[in-house]
Amino acid sequence: MRLRDCHNFHDFRRLARRRLPRPIFDYIDGAADDETTYRRNTASFERCDLVPNVLRGVETIDMSVTVMGQKLAMPVYCSPTALQRLFHHTGERSVAAAAAKYGTMFGVSSLGTVSLEELRKAHDTPQVFQFYFHRDRGLNRVLMQRAKQAGVEIMLLTVDSITGGNRERDLRTGFTIPFGLTLGGMLQFAIKPMWGIHYVTHEGFKLPQLDEHIDMSGGPLSIGRYFTEMLDPSMNWDDVAEMVRLWNGQFCLKGIMSVADAKRAVQIGCTGIVVSNHGGRQLDGSRAAFDQLAEIVDAVGDRIDVIMDGGIQRGTHVLKALSLGAKAVGVGRSYLFPLAAAGQAGVERALGLMRAEIERGMRLMGCTAISQLTRENLRFR
């Protein structure tokens, strides 16, 4: 199987599975507990039908959107995800380059493996910096100031990860933080030697956003200290309101799932929220983001930019979310599997296929611009 054989999410997933050691593949692919929410995220789109219009003159399609002040050439962006150079040695460099090629936004995680400054200098496309709330309030301010100086447009605070989800696939292989590989997990690395060859022959693993704050001499093992010692489970709305004031710009909360929280985000001055259950990796049994989207848009969509992520695998999924009122959608696994499979070429192919699916879908729906997608185009079973 080669990259040219990949035509959809499932093809990229299969190719990534062939190329990655099983513990790393399961880290991307897995979710919390029984993985019920993970499955629901995509299944939720199947309960929604599109109602197309015809004879509308669709020779020209404009799929551009404006989100939190940023003009994107397509309504899909690459959500920030951690540890990307574990999946492919080029990591965030490939994702940023592919996003720039397609004129869309990409995110850099505080647990990213390439510095936000390097990526900001390399690409003009809008950049999001995602971070977690730390016990050390000074560290929070330092990270925000660093992002501001680098020219990052959007600050994104993840609010649904004050403790890690119970990801049992990782427990079985030993791919935990810190690592404690089981015998079976070690065997999986042995039978996929190319990953190890790339890992040891390229630059060392590091977390440049945090290298001044975490001793990385132990390699990936050291990440455990970040979760166990540095994140603050006492974070509350007053803490976030202070950060919004300090940033004084586009500020987004990722992990909002209730109307009450969406309204509170508006009250403290956020300019965007991401309706998200963290890809099913945190609270299993949580409602699918798509199922929760409409009531949140109805409550606050006229006052704040509502984005969603979770389960997006097709261009038609994007059209359904936009028809409900989302300004854009984020993808994670939909670019991580292509990254793992083929680096930058993989991410470019995945974004290209997604763009083609959205354009084709808009033509078949009789829509020439994203603004023409409305709930009149939808029916729920």
Side-chain angles (χ1 to χ4, degrees):
M1 186 178 188
R2 298 178 183 274
L3 181 60
R4 65 172 178 264
D5 300 317
C6 295
H7 302 286
N8 57 43
F9 174 89
H10 302 288
D11 292 338
F12 288 117
R13 180 179 178 275
R14 280 193 292 271
L15 185 55
R17 187 170 188 169
R18 293 185 180 191
R19 297 189 174 180
L20 286 176
R22 184 61 182 267
I24 296 181
F25 173 82
D26 278 345
Y27 175 77
I28 301 174
D29 192 54
D33 293 342
D34 298 314
E35 303 188 354
T36 302
T37 295
Y38 178 19
R39 294 190 297 272
R40 282 178 182 169
N41 278 347
T42 298
S44 62
F45 292 99
E46 297 177 5
R47 296 189 292 273
C48 176
D49 296 331
L50 293 168
V51 181
N53 293 307
V54 297
L55 302 176
R56 299 300 174 97
V58 291
E59 63 274 20
T60 302
I61 299 293
D62 178 9
M63 66 177 71
S64 64
V65 294
T66 299
V67 184
M68 289 180 286
Q70 312 307 311
K71 181 71 174 291
L72 310 182
M74 60 186 291
V76 178
Y77 71 95
C78 296
S79 295
T81 57
L83 311 181
Q84 289 182 21
R85 290 190 58 247
L86 283 182
F87 316 140
H88 189 276
H89 62 87
T90 59
E92 290 89 348
R93 295 184 181 102
S94 288
V95 176
K101 177 178 178 178
Y102 284 94
T104 194
M105 188 163 64
F106 70 95
V108 182
S109 171
S110 57
L111 290 173
T113 53
V114 177
S115 76
L116 60 92
E117 290 89 353
E118 175 187 333
L119 297 169
R120 181 68 292 167
K121 290 177 182 177
H123 305 288
D124 293 331
T125 192
Q127 182 171 323
V128 175
F129 178 56
Q130 175 274 332
F131 74 113
Y132 300 99
F133 192 81
H134 302 91
R135 298 177 191 271
D136 182 349
R137 303 307 199 260
L139 174 56
N140 293 331
R141 290 191 290 271
V142 166
L143 288 174
M144 286 197 296
Q145 184 60 32
R146 179 175 173 179
K148 183 76 75 173
Q149 291 176 345
V152 170
E153 290 88 355
I154 299 171
M155 181 61 64
L156 185 150
L157 176 65
T158 296
V159 293
D160 62 356
S161 301
I162 56 173
T163 188
N166 179 40
R167 302 170 194 175
E168 294 176 358
R169 290 204 221 180
D170 297 340
L171 295 175
R172 292 189 185 97
T173 63
F175 195 80
T176 54
I177 305 296
F179 289 161
L181 290 177
T182 63
L183 181 60
M186 289 186 284
L187 177 61
Q188 290 296 318
F189 280 87
I191 63 178
K192 298 287 179 66
M194 287 306 299
W195 180 90
I197 291 172
H198 285 304
Y199 184 79
V200 301
T201 57
H202 291 85
E203 64 183 287
F205 181 90
K206 59 182 179 179
L207 300 176
Q209 274 63 260
L210 296 168
D211 56 4
E212 296 179 7
H213 312 285
I214 299 178
D215 178 11
M216 285 301 296
S217 59
L221 291 169
S222 306
I223 302 170
R225 295 188 57 245
Y226 180 79
F227 287 99
T228 59
E229 299 176 16
M230 299 184 71
L231 298 190
D232 190 353
S234 71
M235 174 178 60
N236 59 45
W237 284 103
D238 291 337
D239 295 322
V240 179
E242 181 182 2
M243 299 181 75
V244 172
R245 289 193 295 271
L246 286 172
W247 178 251
N248 192 30
Q250 300 288 345
F251 199 105
C252 184
L253 298 186
K254 181 177 183 293
I256 298 297
M257 285 293 290
S258 74
V259 167
D261 285 348
K263 290 180 177 178
R264 194 68 183 271
V266 173
Q267 291 170 0
I268 66 171
C270 293
T271 57
I273 55 174
V274 182
V275 181
S276 170
N277 54 41
H278 214 96
R281 295 166 72 82
Q282 289 297 100
L283 177 65
D284 195 33
S286 173
R287 188 165 166 82
F290 180 68
D291 287 339
Q292 196 67 358
L293 178 60
E295 63 183 79
I296 291 178
V297 169
D298 289 344
V300 300
D302 59 340
R303 292 176 287 163
I304 196 170
D305 283 354
V306 179
I307 308 165
M308 74 145 284
D309 70 24
I312 300 287
Q313 296 179 4
R314 285 288 190 184
T316 49
H317 296 165
V318 177
L319 298 181
K320 291 174 183 180
L322 298 176
S323 296
L324 280 184
K327 292 294 181 66
V329 303
V331 293
R333 294 180 181 95
S334 287
Y335 77 81
L336 288 179
F337 286 136
L339 173 68
Q344 182 176 334
V347 184
E348 288 184 1
R349 182 167 176 81
L351 290 177
L353 289 171
M354 180 65 77
R355 179 181 173 83
E357 288 189 9
I358 295 170
E359 182 175 356
R360 183 186 308 115
M362 290 179 66
R363 290 186 192 280
L364 293 174
M365 289 290 294
C367 297
T368 60
I370 298 297
S371 59
Q372 295 174 7
L373 293 166
T374 72
R375 296 184 193 181
E376 292 299 314
N377 301 125
L378 305 178
R379 297 293 185 273
F380 286 85
R381 299 188 182 199

